Amino acid sequence: MIVYILKRLATAIPTLLALVIASYLLMHIAPGSPFSSERGIPPEVLANLNAKYGLDQPLWKQITTYLWNVVAHFDFGPSFVYKDRSVNDIIAQGFPVTLTYGSLSFITAVLVGVTLGVTAAIKRNSWLDYLAVGVSIGAQVLPNFVMAPILVLVFTLTLHWLPGGGWSFSDPRFWILPVIALSTSYMASIARITRSSMLEVLGSNHIRTARAKGLPNRKIIFRHALKPALLPVISYLGPAFVSMITGSVIIDVYFTTGGIGKSFVDSALNRDYAVMMGVTILLGTLTILFNLVVDIVYGWIDPKIRY
Amino acid sequence: MVIDQSKMASLAKATSREDVAGRSLWADARRRFFRNRAALLGLGLLTFVVAFALFGNFIAAWNNSDIDYNVMGDAATSGPSFANGHYFGADTLGRDLFARTVQGTQISLLVGVIGSLIAVIVGTVYGAVSGYFGGRVDGFMMRLVDILLAIPYMFVLILLLVIYGRSIGMLFVGVGLISWLEMSRIVRGQTLTLKNREYVEAARAIGVPALTIIRRHILPNLVGVVVVFATLLVPLMILTESFISFLGLGVQEPQTSLGALISEGAGTMSYGTLWQLAFPLFFFIITLFGFYFVGDGLRDALDPKER
């Protein structure tokens, strides 16, 4: 097991390094400097600016300094556009919001999706099954940026039930629409995957044996069928997490929740490379860590994996 | 020993009968595909969307860039109407939404198809080479794919678009950079099973060079998998492009795409101009449905075991 985890770590760390170096290089070879938008600056001022941000150093030194600051001090450096704020300030402001509704959406998607899938599989060909299948097909074509306006149209503009934007940590009414918009399509995918793998497991030999022994239905499903049926769901969680993180950008922009995605898009429009890189690296790290956890959980649950 | 005359006669008839016309794999697949109602519906939807994109401009009464000053900025008069030629209404700037939707559908389809084509070419060759040569080459090539897949590509794509300018060409490059990864994995898996078949062994035994074996014996057998996956990849590429355009980071004016139109419509729907959201959204949804249904239908048709 420890060897298996170490092996996974051995892929995760180069991936992270590749991400940091690739984004730094992309930024470095970009035409124009980050300060080229400031018209008519004298060369000596430009030189001072470059010196302040460390851009006058040779490339390898810039990258190693940046890496060292990120790894050892968790410091992403100053913003190129906002003179009085560092990238850390910007991240510290938006990240708790993203984390709150993000984890809520993730939990919702998994819990509702698995419940829906399992019920659909147990009550096969009932109206519940058809509903679950219908919802999961429909939700495939309703990604978050389509769900968001539709939800606002129905619940804010027509019914006046929920606020269509903004954020408050103390008022859960602000959380509902972002969570629904972000979680729906993943919930649908999880339901579909759970349903088909549950159906497959329910038809297998060990379930027939359990039935023949006269075990109660509930015990069969929760003790014997659920665990193997969840394996494909677990392997889907990695990609789902990645695209949920990406989807949070839409939520932040559309619902003005003030999360980290909004800073990313703003920095993209302002060419604030430092903030873009900081956010990319932070979210990339989260993704890679999460994939690592999924791999370890998978190795722990699936008896077929040899390590 | 008495020989049963009638049995002999039937045997003689059976042996002298002409061979039953064999059904090829493709004829079988076609038959199964046309029996699948969802797939036929998808094919119908796609035909409609493609026809709309190709011939819509012949029906449109307005050009996609002309501004109709009579309806501009007026929610009461800019709605869908046959009297003034705006079948889908007009957008906020007074441009004809029908012509704009045609233009957006064209661009979205183009991005989807080109992204998928890049995946077919690069992914197939990469996967086939990696799978066929195996060993250390395979290990290295697939590790690279693993690393690239673990990067949250949407952020890198946006980084790329911001740094090198937001143009359609850059969008194609960016989408193409990521689309081939999954394809190469699938192709590699298929190649691994193909390369141990007898005919490949025979070809190797008579000294056919490796690349010729890949071209003549491996690639033709990959067609099924590649076609199915390429069809399912098109909607994913359209989703990616729409996601970026929704954020305002993708296609730039005067060009437009379905994602950009949905974003515009979502921004103005609180003024009561619902058609600006509804029509682009309708075409977006039926395009995705069409590709998903056709892709699923093709998969079921080519691989009856997987049902």
Side-chain angles (χ1 to χ4, degrees):
Chain A
M1 190 72 194
I2 290 170
V3 177
Y4 177 76
I5 294 175
L6 284 179
K7 254 189 196 166
R8 293 283 133 190
L9 262 177
T11 355
I13 290 168
T15 311
L16 212 53
L17 276 180
L19 178 66
V20 176
I21 293 173
S23 32
Y24 203 98
L25 280 180
L26 268 180
M27 186 187 95
H28 186 83
I29 54 179
S33 92
F35 312 110
S36 58
S37 59
E38 292 167 44
R39 267 175 302 150
I41 50 177
E44 50 273 26
V45 175
L46 188 67
N48 276 339
L49 273 174
N50 278 337
K52 184 192 171 205
Y53 290 99
L55 296 176
D56 53 347
Q57 309 282 336
L59 182 59
W60 65 267
K61 202 163 179 198
Q62 286 182 36
I63 293 187
T64 42
T65 318
Y66 187 81
L67 260 178
W68 177 248
N69 283 338
V70 169
V71 174
H73 308 291
F74 212 72
D75 178 12
F76 291 108
S79 156
F80 284 168
V81 171
Y82 303 104
K83 301 283 180 275
D84 53 343
R85 298 174 76 194
S86 72
V87 180
N88 285 31
D89 293 340
I90 294 173
I91 288 177
Q93 197 183 25
F95 195 54
V97 179
T98 309
L99 201 63
T100 310
Y101 73 76
S103 42
L104 276 176
S105 310
F106 194 72
I107 295 168
T108 314
V110 173
L111 286 185
V112 180
V114 168
T115 317
L116 208 63
V118 170
T119 346
I122 296 172
K123 306 221 186 285
R124 198 181 181 185
N125 294 333
S126 67
W127 64 270
L128 234 168
D129 186 19
Y130 293 133
L131 182 76
V133 173
V135 166
S136 62
I137 291 177
Q140 244 184 348
V141 296
L142 294 174
N144 37 43
F145 61 89
V146 173
M147 280 300 287
I150 293 178
L151 286 173
V152 168
L153 187 65
V154 174
F155 292 103
T156 308
L157 294 179
T158 314
L159 295 171
H160 302 290
W161 284 357
L162 294 164
W167 181 262
S168 156
F169 273 109
S170 51
D171 188 354
R173 286 190 307 144
F174 285 95
W175 309 356
I176 299 175
L177 290 188
V179 167
I180 298 179
L182 187 56
S183 60
T184 303
S185 64
Y186 307 104
M187 186 201 78
S189 303
I190 291 176
R192 202 176 52 245
I193 296 169
T194 313
R195 177 181 174 274
S196 63
S197 85
M198 192 73 184
L199 281 178
E200 204 184 310
V201 171
L202 284 179
S204 65
N205 290 337
H206 75 278
I207 297 299
R208 201 175 45 200
T209 311
R211 281 197 203 289
K213 274 166 59 186
L215 282 185
N217 209 10
R218 191 195 306 185
K219 215 168 185 183
I220 293 177
I221 286 154
F222 287 105
R223 180 76 67 75
H224 298 287
L226 200 57
K227 203 170 137 187
L230 284 185
L231 283 177
V233 179
I234 292 173
S235 59
Y236 172 72
L237 291 185
F241 186 81
V242 181
S243 48
M244 263 189 163
I245 281 195
T246 325
S248 74
V249 177
I250 293 278
I251 304 296
D252 283 334
V253 169
Y254 194 77
F255 289 108
T256 52
T257 40
I260 204 174
K262 177 78 175 137
S263 339
F264 181 77
V265 174
D266 284 348
S267 63
L269 292 170
N270 289 336
R271 293 181 155 243
D272 192 346
Y273 297 139
V275 177
M276 283 184 88
M277 279 190 58
V279 176
T280 308
I281 291 170
L282 179 76
L283 297 183
T285 315
L286 261 186
T287 315
I288 291 162
L289 281 181
F290 187 82
N291 276 325
L292 190 69
V293 172
V294 166
D295 275 347
I296 292 172
V297 170
Y298 203 88
W300 175 51
I301 288 190
D302 188 2
K304 271 180 269 175
I305 283 199
R306 295 269 168 272
Y307 35 80
Chain B
M1 196 175 164
V2 181
I3 296 168
D4 186 335
Q5 280 297 321
S6 65
K7 266 190 184 165
M8 284 308 291
S10 104
L11 178 68
K13 212 157 69 189
T15 48
S16 65
R17 194 167 51 197
E18 281 173 48
D19 288 340
V20 180
R23 285 203 306 255
S24 72
L25 172 77
W26 292 102
D28 251 358
R30 195 165 53 233
R31 204 170 43 89
R32 276 195 294 266
F33 183 83
F34 282 108
R35 274 209 205 136
N36 185 337
R37 262 189 237 143
L40 280 187
L41 174 69
L43 200 62
L45 288 178
L46 278 192
T47 318
F48 172 67
V49 171
V50 171
F52 178 75
L54 288 180
F55 307 115
N57 278 333
F58 296 111
I59 309 169
W62 292 80
N63 190 298
N64 58 32
S65 56
D66 288 346
I67 291 171
D68 184 356
Y69 290 100
N70 294 321
V71 299
M72 180 174 154
D74 186 357
T77 57
S78 62
S81 138
F82 280 100
N84 59 16
H86 297 300
Y87 311 129
F88 289 180
D91 71 1
T92 325
L93 292 176
R95 287 174 296 188
D96 182 36
L97 196 62
F98 183 86
R100 294 274 287 166
T101 312
V102 171
Q103 192 191 10
T105 313
Q106 285 172 348
I107 301 243
S108 284
L109 282 179
L110 205 62
V111 171
V113 169
I114 289 191
S116 186
L117 266 183
I118 295 178
V120 167
I121 297 166
V122 180
T124 312
V125 172
Y126 194 92
V129 167
S130 171
Y132 185 78
F133 287 106
R136 208 170 285 168
V137 178
D138 182 38
F140 175 75
M141 287 174 86
M142 280 301 124
R143 191 52 47 83
L144 191 70
V145 169
D146 283 344
I147 289 179
L148 289 176
L149 268 176
I151 291 174
Y153 66 85
M154 194 66 84
F155 294 96
V156 179
L157 192 52
I158 291 176
L159 209 66
L160 212 64
L161 281 170
V162 168
I163 291 174
Y164 295 100
R166 285 168 253 160
S167 64
I168 295 192
M170 204 56 225
L171 206 58
F172 287 148
V173 172
V175 166
L177 273 180
I178 49 164
S179 64
W180 61 274
L181 294 169
E182 282 287 344
M183 178 69 101
S184 71
R185 271 187 165 182
I186 291 172
V187 166
R188 170 185 172 264
Q190 185 79 359
T191 309
L192 282 183
T193 58
L194 284 175
K195 76 171 183 185
N196 292 324
R197 296 277 167 86
E198 282 87 352
Y199 56 86
V200 176
E201 204 177 324
R204 215 178 298 155
I206 58 175
V208 181
L211 287 177
T212 315
I213 295 183
I214 290 179
R215 187 165 47 83
R216 209 180 282 160
H217 300 291
I218 305 276
L219 289 184
N221 283 302
L222 290 172
V223 169
V225 183
V226 170
V227 165
V228 171
F229 194 70
T231 319
L232 290 172
L233 208 57
V234 175
L236 290 185
M237 295 299 115
I238 293 179
L239 274 173
T240 307
E241 188 279 322
S242 301
F243 184 100
I244 297 173
S245 291
F246 186 89
L247 293 175
L249 296 167
V251 176
Q252 295 297 297
E253 293 283 355
Q255 303 278 10
T256 194
S257 79
L258 289 178
L261 288 172
I262 291 172
S263 165
E264 266 174 49
T268 58
M269 68 186 180
S270 53
Y271 309 125
T273 55
L274 210 54
W275 61 87
Q276 293 180 2
L277 177 65
F279 288 106
L281 197 57
F282 171 75
F283 278 94
F284 181 73
I285 288 179
I286 64 170
T287 310
L288 293 190
F289 258 134
F291 278 110
Y292 280 131
F293 282 165
V294 168
D296 283 345
L298 281 176
R299 185 178 53 204
D300 289 345
L302 285 170
D303 191 2
K305 279 175 303 186
E306 273 292 313
R307 268 174 190 278

